[in-house]
Amino acid sequence: MTTGKHQPLLSGETHRKTDDVEINGIKDYCKEFYLESKRLWYLAGPAIFASLCQYTIGATTQVFAGKLGTIQLAAVSVENTVIAGFSYSILFGMGSALETLCGQAYGAEKFEMLGIYLQKSLIILNTAAIGLTFTFIFGVSVLKLLGQTTTISVAAGTFAVWMIPQLFAYATMIPVSKFLQAQSKVMPMALIALVAVVSHVFLSWLLIVKLGWGLVGAAVVLDGSWWFITLGQVGYVLWGSCGQAWSGFSWNAFSNLKGFLHISLTTMIMFCLESWYVMSLVLLAGHFENAEVSVDALSVCINILGWAGMVALGLNVAASVRVSNELGLGRPKTVRLSVIVVALTALLIGILFATVLLVYRKQYPAFFTNSQEVMQLVDELTLLLGTLVVINNVQYALSGVAIGAGLQSAVAYMNIGSYFLVGIPISILLGFKFDMRVKGIWYGLVSGSSMQCFMLLLMVSRIDWNEEANVSGDRIKQWGCDIGMKDDVADANNY
């Protein structure tokens, strides 16, 4: 099978073929599975690398802040986790609407629509960022309301004010990233992230340690690193590297913002419910006796889950791009193959991670804590942690499939049912009623995620991909605008 120009070209593939994949026998299936795996990793590899670099930027700042003192470390950690984390989850969720729209439009060769969608998303996310600035400005009061001590609240709240520029970097970078991902332009993003993380480490040492700027230096470097990534990606787009996908700014971006806002909000709900679910379980752990050990053990496990999640996030991005591109092109059989490949890949990677955790269950907790009590509890939770890594990997991959197909609303409802009607009640019941403490919390987390994964599997297995390919053009028109679409939707459906 050869690829279209909307796909990454593989070795030996040099021209376009719009026919859907045809598989006759095991030999054909193995060949197509191999080619689809290469396309998947062409997208997922750089996406994983870029995510790890961006994750490292925040972690590096916390390391250098720790050299200043415990209060400074707490200030950076709390601001990054609570205030910035809350805003990022909202903006990331809203910006992920572009994975559906840009991906399907690019597959259908409605290239002029991508720039319109990008501008719509920039308008919506930067407007949302203006509203979110109040959580930064009044960070001290917000943190006190959440139960933080006055000392930590004041330090983190002051640091949050310095981090307002980062908020608008998020609001600009996220849509541009999704815009580039839809076109499989992931390698430039990875290279920009690499330069950013290397310079971030050096500048953090220079301003925080060498010049003694303290938290002000940490804020300046962190803001600067995120804006470097943002301007690097924007510059890549404006340089003309995206062809017809970017033809300049247009007033058409202001048309039908209400329709575009709808999918942005449903995607936001889908992402936020999951992150808030985990956050709520950490807060629950703080109500046990000897809460410090419980929270620390849960935090170590969630930290491990976060690093594993970078790989899962890359698969999520790759799945959404492959599915949306192929639906836009009108190739349902290729979509089915893509879904199978990404699901099996996610499952195997999850099993690999879980195996490593189980083999080194006595050793890895020492990298995070010196407390024997915490290490013992983490050891006891490792089997559940490994199980959750496997489940989350598959779940993230299937969520990417759902985003590529434009089914965010259905997934949002699943999240509500799985996490807040199953996961949290089980955590409370087992943790408090049956006195299982943090183990009960973790059983609830696994139960909620298992339910979500099962429902996603059920939904994906029942999707009529022929029908989804037929309605992809209508979906683009409904959630975007009518520019260039009056006669094109019918053309897209006839591929």
mmCIF file of all heavy atoms in Angstrom, residues 163-202:
data_model
loop_
_atom_site.group_PDB
_atom_site.id
_atom_site.type_symbol
_atom_site.label_atom_id
_atom_site.label_comp_id
_atom_site.label_asym_id
_atom_site.label_seq_id
_atom_site.Cartn_x
_atom_site.Cartn_y
_atom_site.Cartn_z
ATOM 1 N N MET A 163 4.021 33.689 36.404
ATOM 2 C CA MET A 163 3.836 32.656 35.376
ATOM 3 C C MET A 163 2.666 32.945 34.433
ATOM 4 O O MET A 163 2.317 32.096 33.601
ATOM 5 C CB MET A 163 3.626 31.292 36.034
ATOM 6 C CG MET A 163 4.824 30.775 36.814
ATOM 7 S SD MET A 163 6.373 30.863 35.885
ATOM 8 C CE MET A 163 5.960 29.870 34.460
ATOM 9 N N ILE A 164 2.046 34.115 34.517
ATOM 10 C CA ILE A 164 0.944 34.454 33.613
ATOM 11 C C ILE A 164 1.369 34.400 32.140
ATOM 12 O O ILE A 164 0.601 33.925 31.287
ATOM 13 C CB ILE A 164 0.348 35.827 33.981
ATOM 14 C CG1 ILE A 164 -0.392 35.716 35.326
ATOM 15 C CG2 ILE A 164 -0.603 36.330 32.895
ATOM 16 C CD1 ILE A 164 -0.952 37.032 35.835
ATOM 17 N N PRO A 165 2.582 34.854 31.765
ATOM 18 C CA PRO A 165 2.985 34.710 30.351
ATOM 19 C C PRO A 165 2.961 33.260 29.866
ATOM 20 O O PRO A 165 2.664 32.995 28.692
ATOM 21 C CB PRO A 165 4.411 35.287 30.337
ATOM 22 C CG PRO A 165 4.435 36.272 31.463
ATOM 23 C CD PRO A 165 3.569 35.651 32.525
ATOM 24 N N GLN A 166 3.273 32.311 30.754
ATOM 25 C CA GLN A 166 3.225 30.897 30.373
ATOM 26 C C GLN A 166 1.820 30.490 29.962
ATOM 27 O O GLN A 166 1.641 29.681 29.043
ATOM 28 C CB GLN A 166 3.703 30.033 31.541
ATOM 29 C CG GLN A 166 3.733 28.543 31.248
ATOM 30 C CD GLN A 166 3.916 27.714 32.509
ATOM 31 O OE1 GLN A 166 3.242 27.909 33.513
ATOM 32 N NE2 GLN A 166 4.870 26.788 32.461
ATOM 33 N N LEU A 167 0.824 31.045 30.630
ATOM 34 C CA LEU A 167 -0.572 30.726 30.331
ATOM 35 C C LEU A 167 -0.902 31.044 28.875
ATOM 36 O O LEU A 167 -1.543 30.248 28.174
ATOM 37 C CB LEU A 167 -1.492 31.497 31.282
ATOM 38 C CG LEU A 167 -3.002 31.391 31.037
ATOM 39 C CD1 LEU A 167 -3.471 29.964 31.234
ATOM 40 C CD2 LEU A 167 -3.750 32.337 31.979
ATOM 41 N N PHE A 168 -0.465 32.206 28.414
ATOM 42 C CA PHE A 168 -0.756 32.598 27.030
ATOM 43 C C PHE A 168 0.127 31.868 26.031
ATOM 44 O O PHE A 168 -0.240 31.724 24.859
ATOM 45 C CB PHE A 168 -0.639 34.116 26.892
ATOM 46 C CG PHE A 168 -1.753 34.849 27.586
ATOM 47 C CD1 PHE A 168 -1.614 35.278 28.893
ATOM 48 C CD2 PHE A 168 -2.959 35.062 26.947
ATOM 49 C CE1 PHE A 168 -2.650 35.928 29.550
ATOM 50 C CE2 PHE A 168 -4.006 35.709 27.583
ATOM 51 C CZ PHE A 168 -3.860 36.138 28.897
ATOM 52 N N ALA A 169 1.296 31.389 26.502
ATOM 53 C CA ALA A 169 2.099 30.509 25.649
ATOM 54 C C ALA A 169 1.344 29.205 25.409
ATOM 55 O O ALA A 169 1.307 28.686 24.286
ATOM 56 C CB ALA A 169 3.454 30.239 26.298
ATOM 57 N N TYR A 170 0.741 28.666 26.475
ATOM 58 C CA TYR A 170 -0.096 27.473 26.337
ATOM 59 C C TYR A 170 -1.199 27.701 25.301
ATOM 60 O O TYR A 170 -1.443 26.864 24.426
ATOM 61 C CB TYR A 170 -0.770 27.127 27.671
ATOM 62 C CG TYR A 170 0.112 26.520 28.730
ATOM 63 C CD1 TYR A 170 -0.291 26.530 30.068
ATOM 64 C CD2 TYR A 170 1.331 25.923 28.424
ATOM 65 C CE1 TYR A 170 0.492 25.970 31.066
ATOM 66 C CE2 TYR A 170 2.118 25.357 29.407
ATOM 67 C CZ TYR A 170 1.692 25.384 30.736
ATOM 68 O OH TYR A 170 2.472 24.830 31.711
ATOM 69 N N ALA A 171 -1.900 28.848 25.447
ATOM 70 C CA ALA A 171 -3.071 29.123 24.611
ATOM 71 C C ALA A 171 -2.710 29.254 23.140
ATOM 72 O O ALA A 171 -3.553 29.043 22.266
ATOM 73 C CB ALA A 171 -3.761 30.400 25.096
ATOM 74 N N THR A 172 -1.461 29.606 22.860
ATOM 75 C CA THR A 172 -1.016 29.739 21.471
ATOM 76 C C THR A 172 -0.360 28.461 20.967
ATOM 77 O O THR A 172 -0.611 28.019 19.842
ATOM 78 C CB THR A 172 -0.019 30.908 21.345
ATOM 79 O OG1 THR A 172 -0.625 32.106 21.863
ATOM 80 C CG2 THR A 172 0.374 31.138 19.889
ATOM 81 N N MET A 173 0.475 27.842 21.804
ATOM 82 C CA MET A 173 1.219 26.667 21.385
ATOM 83 C C MET A 173 0.322 25.466 21.121
ATOM 84 O O MET A 173 0.535 24.721 20.150
ATOM 85 C CB MET A 173 2.248 26.294 22.454
ATOM 86 C CG MET A 173 3.091 25.077 22.107
ATOM 87 S SD MET A 173 3.748 24.229 23.552
ATOM 88 C CE MET A 173 2.255 23.534 24.277
ATOM 89 N N ILE A 174 -0.669 25.230 21.971
ATOM 90 C CA ILE A 174 -1.504 24.028 21.853
ATOM 91 C C ILE A 174 -2.212 23.955 20.502
ATOM 92 O O ILE A 174 -2.140 22.925 19.811
ATOM 93 C CB ILE A 174 -2.494 23.937 23.035
ATOM 94 C CG1 ILE A 174 -1.734 23.656 24.334
ATOM 95 C CG2 ILE A 174 -3.541 22.852 22.789
ATOM 96 C CD1 ILE A 174 -2.573 23.791 25.591
ATOM 97 N N PRO A 175 -2.907 25.021 20.049
ATOM 98 C CA PRO A 175 -3.540 24.933 18.721
ATOM 99 C C PRO A 175 -2.532 24.743 17.593
ATOM 100 O O PRO A 175 -2.786 23.973 16.658
ATOM 101 C CB PRO A 175 -4.267 26.282 18.583
ATOM 102 C CG PRO A 175 -4.458 26.762 19.970
ATOM 103 C CD PRO A 175 -3.256 26.285 20.734
ATOM 104 N N VAL A 176 -1.382 25.442 17.668
ATOM 105 C CA VAL A 176 -0.383 25.308 16.616
ATOM 106 C C VAL A 176 0.158 23.872 16.575
ATOM 107 O O VAL A 176 0.372 23.297 15.505
ATOM 108 C CB VAL A 176 0.766 26.317 16.813
ATOM 109 C CG1 VAL A 176 1.849 26.112 15.751
ATOM 110 C CG2 VAL A 176 0.240 27.752 16.736
ATOM 111 N N SER A 177 0.375 23.270 17.754
ATOM 112 C CA SER A 177 0.850 21.891 17.816
ATOM 113 C C SER A 177 -0.143 20.940 17.170
ATOM 114 O O SER A 177 0.241 20.050 16.381
ATOM 115 C CB SER A 177 1.082 21.473 19.275
ATOM 116 O OG SER A 177 2.096 22.239 19.879
ATOM 117 N N LYS A 178 -1.421 21.090 17.480
ATOM 118 C CA LYS A 178 -2.443 20.216 16.905
ATOM 119 C C LYS A 178 -2.548 20.428 15.392
ATOM 120 O O LYS A 178 -2.768 19.471 14.629
ATOM 121 C CB LYS A 178 -3.794 20.477 17.565
ATOM 122 C CG LYS A 178 -3.810 20.274 19.077
ATOM 123 C CD LYS A 178 -3.402 18.877 19.464
ATOM 124 C CE LYS A 178 -3.405 18.670 20.964
ATOM 125 N NZ LYS A 178 -2.919 17.333 21.352
ATOM 126 N N PHE A 179 -2.401 21.669 14.963
ATOM 127 C CA PHE A 179 -2.418 22.010 13.542
ATOM 128 C C PHE A 179 -1.289 21.294 12.800
ATOM 129 O O PHE A 179 -1.485 20.725 11.714
ATOM 130 C CB PHE A 179 -2.275 23.533 13.426
ATOM 131 C CG PHE A 179 -2.039 24.065 12.040
ATOM 132 C CD1 PHE A 179 -3.090 24.229 11.146
ATOM 133 C CD2 PHE A 179 -0.769 24.433 11.632
ATOM 134 C CE1 PHE A 179 -2.869 24.734 9.871
ATOM 135 C CE2 PHE A 179 -0.535 24.945 10.367
ATOM 136 C CZ PHE A 179 -1.589 25.096 9.476
ATOM 137 N N LEU A 180 -0.093 21.284 13.391
ATOM 138 C CA LEU A 180 1.050 20.615 12.763
ATOM 139 C C LEU A 180 0.928 19.094 12.831
ATOM 140 O O LEU A 180 1.269 18.384 11.876
ATOM 141 C CB LEU A 180 2.344 21.068 13.448
ATOM 142 C CG LEU A 180 2.742 22.532 13.240
ATOM 143 C CD1 LEU A 180 3.942 22.890 14.112
ATOM 144 C CD2 LEU A 180 3.050 22.814 11.780
ATOM 145 N N GLN A 181 0.434 18.568 13.952
ATOM 146 C CA GLN A 181 0.276 17.130 14.097
ATOM 147 C C GLN A 181 -0.675 16.561 13.053
ATOM 148 O O GLN A 181 -0.444 15.469 12.525
ATOM 149 C CB GLN A 181 -0.233 16.800 15.498
ATOM 150 C CG GLN A 181 0.814 16.961 16.584
ATOM 151 C CD GLN A 181 0.214 16.884 17.981
ATOM 152 O OE1 GLN A 181 -0.994 16.713 18.150
ATOM 153 N NE2 GLN A 181 1.064 17.023 18.989
ATOM 154 N N ALA A 182 -1.741 17.298 12.741
ATOM 155 C CA ALA A 182 -2.723 16.825 11.764
ATOM 156 C C ALA A 182 -2.098 16.629 10.396
ATOM 157 O O ALA A 182 -2.592 15.843 9.578
ATOM 158 C CB ALA A 182 -3.894 17.807 11.671
ATOM 159 N N GLN A 183 -0.991 17.348 10.126
ATOM 160 C CA GLN A 183 -0.293 17.246 8.843
ATOM 161 C C GLN A 183 0.927 16.317 8.928
ATOM 162 O O GLN A 183 1.744 16.282 8.005
ATOM 163 C CB GLN A 183 0.160 18.632 8.397
ATOM 164 C CG GLN A 183 -0.970 19.647 8.304
ATOM 165 C CD GLN A 183 -0.442 21.054 8.147
ATOM 166 O OE1 GLN A 183 0.164 21.388 7.128
ATOM 167 N NE2 GLN A 183 -0.640 21.889 9.143
ATOM 168 N N SER A 184 1.058 15.623 10.054
ATOM 169 C CA SER A 184 2.196 14.718 10.297
ATOM 170 C C SER A 184 3.524 15.467 10.369
ATOM 171 O O SER A 184 4.588 14.876 10.177
ATOM 172 C CB SER A 184 2.288 13.631 9.211
ATOM 173 O OG SER A 184 1.108 12.854 9.200
ATOM 174 N N LYS A 185 3.487 16.762 10.672
ATOM 175 C CA LYS A 185 4.708 17.559 10.801
ATOM 176 C C LYS A 185 5.146 17.550 12.266
ATOM 177 O O LYS A 185 5.123 18.579 12.954
ATOM 178 C CB LYS A 185 4.473 18.972 10.289
ATOM 179 C CG LYS A 185 4.133 19.026 8.799
ATOM 180 C CD LYS A 185 3.965 20.447 8.302
ATOM 181 C CE LYS A 185 3.587 20.462 6.831
ATOM 182 N NZ LYS A 185 4.621 19.918 5.945
ATOM 183 N N VAL A 186 5.558 16.379 12.737
ATOM 184 C CA VAL A 186 5.899 16.203 14.146
ATOM 185 C C VAL A 186 7.397 16.329 14.418
ATOM 186 O O VAL A 186 7.797 16.658 15.530
ATOM 187 C CB VAL A 186 5.385 14.835 14.656
ATOM 188 C CG1 VAL A 186 3.880 14.853 14.817
ATOM 189 C CG2 VAL A 186 5.791 13.713 13.700
ATOM 190 N N MET A 187 8.217 16.062 13.431
ATOM 191 C CA MET A 187 9.663 16.133 13.644
ATOM 192 C C MET A 187 10.132 17.546 13.985
ATOM 193 O O MET A 187 10.964 17.719 14.895
ATOM 194 C CB MET A 187 10.401 15.603 12.417
ATOM 195 C CG MET A 187 11.904 15.405 12.657
ATOM 196 S SD MET A 187 12.239 14.253 14.028
ATOM 197 C CE MET A 187 11.725 12.707 13.274
ATOM 198 N N PRO A 188 9.663 18.597 13.295
ATOM 199 C CA PRO A 188 10.068 19.954 13.692
ATOM 200 C C PRO A 188 9.689 20.281 15.139
ATOM 201 O O PRO A 188 10.443 20.959 15.851
ATOM 202 C CB PRO A 188 9.311 20.855 12.709
ATOM 203 C CG PRO A 188 9.064 19.992 11.519
ATOM 204 C CD PRO A 188 8.841 18.618 12.075
ATOM 205 N N MET A 189 8.530 19.790 15.588
ATOM 206 C CA MET A 189 8.111 20.024 16.967
ATOM 207 C C MET A 189 9.083 19.370 17.942
ATOM 208 O O MET A 189 9.432 19.950 18.981
ATOM 209 C CB MET A 189 6.696 19.468 17.182
ATOM 210 C CG MET A 189 5.625 20.170 16.371
ATOM 211 S SD MET A 189 4.046 19.289 16.412
ATOM 212 C CE MET A 189 3.762 19.163 18.162
ATOM 213 N N ALA A 190 9.549 18.172 17.607
ATOM 214 C CA ALA A 190 10.487 17.462 18.473
ATOM 215 C C ALA A 190 11.825 18.201 18.544
ATOM 216 O O ALA A 190 12.423 18.315 19.622
ATOM 217 C CB ALA A 190 10.690 16.035 17.970
ATOM 218 N N LEU A 191 12.295 18.709 17.409
ATOM 219 C CA LEU A 191 13.571 19.420 17.382
ATOM 220 C C LEU A 191 13.493 20.728 18.177
ATOM 221 O O LEU A 191 14.431 21.080 18.903
ATOM 222 C CB LEU A 191 13.979 19.699 15.937
ATOM 223 C CG LEU A 191 14.304 18.470 15.093
ATOM 224 C CD1 LEU A 191 14.584 18.856 13.649
ATOM 225 C CD2 LEU A 191 15.498 17.715 15.679
ATOM 226 N N ILE A 192 12.387 21.438 18.034
ATOM 227 C CA ILE A 192 12.194 22.676 18.807
ATOM 228 C C ILE A 192 12.179 22.372 20.301
ATOM 229 O O ILE A 192 12.784 23.088 21.112
ATOM 230 C CB ILE A 192 10.887 23.372 18.373
ATOM 231 C CG1 ILE A 192 11.020 23.911 16.947
ATOM 232 C CG2 ILE A 192 10.535 24.514 19.333
ATOM 233 C CD1 ILE A 192 9.709 24.379 16.341
ATOM 234 N N ALA A 193 11.489 21.301 20.692
ATOM 235 C CA ALA A 193 11.419 20.917 22.104
ATOM 236 C C ALA A 193 12.790 20.527 22.631
ATOM 237 O O ALA A 193 13.133 20.830 23.788
ATOM 238 C CB ALA A 193 10.433 19.756 22.284
ATOM 239 N N LEU A 194 13.612 19.869 21.807
ATOM 240 C CA LEU A 194 14.960 19.482 22.220
ATOM 241 C C LEU A 194 15.819 20.709 22.510
ATOM 242 O O LEU A 194 16.488 20.775 23.545
ATOM 243 C CB LEU A 194 15.616 18.632 21.127
ATOM 244 C CG LEU A 194 17.083 18.248 21.364
ATOM 245 C CD1 LEU A 194 17.223 17.417 22.640
ATOM 246 C CD2 LEU A 194 17.636 17.495 20.161
ATOM 247 N N VAL A 195 15.794 21.678 21.606
ATOM 248 C CA VAL A 195 16.559 22.912 21.825
ATOM 249 C C VAL A 195 16.062 23.620 23.080
ATOM 250 O O VAL A 195 16.856 24.137 23.881
ATOM 251 C CB VAL A 195 16.443 23.840 20.599
ATOM 252 C CG1 VAL A 195 17.135 25.180 20.877
ATOM 253 C CG2 VAL A 195 17.041 23.182 19.369
ATOM 254 N N ALA A 196 14.739 23.619 23.281
ATOM 255 C CA ALA A 196 14.157 24.292 24.439
ATOM 256 C C ALA A 196 14.614 23.667 25.752
ATOM 257 O O ALA A 196 14.975 24.367 26.696
ATOM 258 C CB ALA A 196 12.634 24.263 24.347
ATOM 259 N N VAL A 197 14.613 22.341 25.831
ATOM 260 C CA VAL A 197 14.954 21.689 27.095
ATOM 261 C C VAL A 197 16.439 21.834 27.411
ATOM 262 O O VAL A 197 16.822 22.025 28.574
ATOM 263 C CB VAL A 197 14.515 20.200 27.083
ATOM 264 C CG1 VAL A 197 15.411 19.352 26.200
ATOM 265 C CG2 VAL A 197 14.491 19.640 28.498
ATOM 266 N N VAL A 198 17.292 21.768 26.386
ATOM 267 C CA VAL A 198 18.730 21.933 26.624
ATOM 268 C C VAL A 198 19.034 23.341 27.106
ATOM 269 O O VAL A 198 19.772 23.551 28.085
ATOM 270 C CB VAL A 198 19.527 21.619 25.337
ATOM 271 C CG1 VAL A 198 21.000 21.993 25.515
ATOM 272 C CG2 VAL A 198 19.403 20.141 24.986
ATOM 273 N N SER A 199 18.485 24.356 26.427
ATOM 274 C CA SER A 199 18.718 25.740 26.836
ATOM 275 C C SER A 199 18.085 26.030 28.190
ATOM 276 O O SER A 199 18.607 26.833 28.976
ATOM 277 C CB SER A 199 18.173 26.701 25.777
ATOM 278 O OG SER A 199 16.776 26.520 25.593
ATOM 279 N N HIS A 200 16.970 25.354 28.476
ATOM 280 C CA HIS A 200 16.287 25.570 29.757
ATOM 281 C C HIS A 200 17.163 25.131 30.935
ATOM 282 O O HIS A 200 17.238 25.828 31.955
ATOM 283 C CB HIS A 200 14.967 24.800 29.782
ATOM 284 C CG HIS A 200 14.186 24.983 31.046
ATOM 285 N ND1 HIS A 200 13.381 26.077 31.277
ATOM 286 C CD2 HIS A 200 14.098 24.211 32.167
ATOM 287 C CE1 HIS A 200 12.829 25.973 32.466
ATOM 288 N NE2 HIS A 200 13.247 24.854 33.029
ATOM 289 N N VAL A 201 17.822 23.991 30.791
ATOM 290 C CA VAL A 201 18.696 23.505 31.860
ATOM 291 C C VAL A 201 19.839 24.499 32.106
ATOM 292 O O VAL A 201 20.132 24.865 33.255
ATOM 293 C CB VAL A 201 19.260 22.112 31.507
ATOM 294 C CG1 VAL A 201 20.308 21.691 32.532
ATOM 295 C CG2 VAL A 201 18.137 21.080 31.441
ATOM 296 N N PHE A 202 20.463 24.964 31.034
ATOM 297 C CA PHE A 202 21.585 25.898 31.187
ATOM 298 C C PHE A 202 21.130 27.227 31.794
ATOM 299 O O PHE A 202 21.745 27.738 32.741
ATOM 300 C CB PHE A 202 22.243 26.155 29.830
ATOM 301 C CG PHE A 202 23.250 27.266 29.861
ATOM 302 C CD1 PHE A 202 24.488 27.088 30.469
ATOM 303 C CD2 PHE A 202 22.950 28.502 29.302
ATOM 304 C CE1 PHE A 202 25.424 28.111 30.518
ATOM 305 C CE2 PHE A 202 23.867 29.541 29.346
ATOM 306 C CZ PHE A 202 25.113 29.345 29.953
#
